[in-house]
Amino acid sequence: MAGESSGATEQPPRQILVIDDDEQLREMLRRMLEYAGYDVVEACDGEEAMKLLRNREVDLVITDILMPNREGLEPIMELRRGRPQLPIIAISGGGGWSGSSSYLVTATKLGAAKTLAKPFTRQEILDAVAEVFAEAGAA
């Protein structure tokens, strides 16, 4: 029957925090990730994300770099200090100039496990999430 365990220990869906000031992009990511079987929580900027993470555990953070209030590099640095094992995927469109790659290089140096330049495809983000979880040892 639907919803019943087959006897194997089923793990709850992995929790992913999506941080982006673009509401449409957050919703698109949430829908894609939920359709793929993940639970998703959203934050509109780094400040909201850090407040949310004080009382919530997540398995992965996907963060934009350029945002108001607390842009994405700050949460990456703070998470590396407080939760060094938490995987992070950084995304950036570069703020309208061809510098998104420099932001993403910086994000990698600060501890992002993976980076993606906007725009990215559904498959690219799902592959990145799967790769990060595989590298984390399915913990």
Side-chain angles (χ1 to χ4, degrees):
M1 290 177 90
E4 285 188 19
S5 175
S6 62
T9 305
E10 290 188 30
Q11 296 192 0
R14 291 179 185 253
Q15 305 284 311
I16 299 175
L17 170 61
V18 173
I19 312 167
D20 200 303
D21 60 315
D22 182 332
E23 186 176 353
Q24 290 179 326
L25 180 62
R26 279 196 326 268
E27 179 158 330
M28 178 194 70
L29 284 169
R30 180 182 52 77
R31 288 179 184 209
M32 285 191 301
L33 293 166
E34 286 177 347
Y35 186 77
Y38 301 105
D39 282 345
V40 178
V41 62
E42 302 173 38
C44 66
D45 59 35
E47 186 173 322
E48 181 182 3
M50 297 315 294
K51 286 178 184 175
L52 187 144
L53 287 171
R54 286 186 197 125
N55 302 311
R56 184 180 196 123
E57 290 294 322
V58 297
D59 300 302
L60 171 67
V61 172
I62 299 173
T63 185
D64 188 19
I65 300 297
L66 298 176
M67 297 179 287
N69 295 327
R70 243 172 132 185
E71 52 89 24
L73 294 176
E74 291 178 56
I76 292 172
M77 290 185 294
E78 192 168 330
L79 287 169
R80 280 299 136 253
R81 286 190 300 267
R83 298 183 188 188
Q85 301 307 314
L86 180 63
I88 300 168
I89 296 174
I91 58 177
S92 181
W97 60 283
S98 62
S100 70
S101 65
S102 65
Y103 288 115
L104 296 174
V105 167
T106 301
T108 300
K109 288 179 180 177
L110 292 174
K114 211 144 210 41
T115 61
L116 287 174
K118 294 178 185 175
F120 46 79
T121 67
R122 175 185 183 278
Q123 196 58 54
E124 286 172 326
I125 191 71
L126 293 177
D127 287 349
V129 168
E131 287 172 28
V132 167
F133 281 141
E135 290 168 6

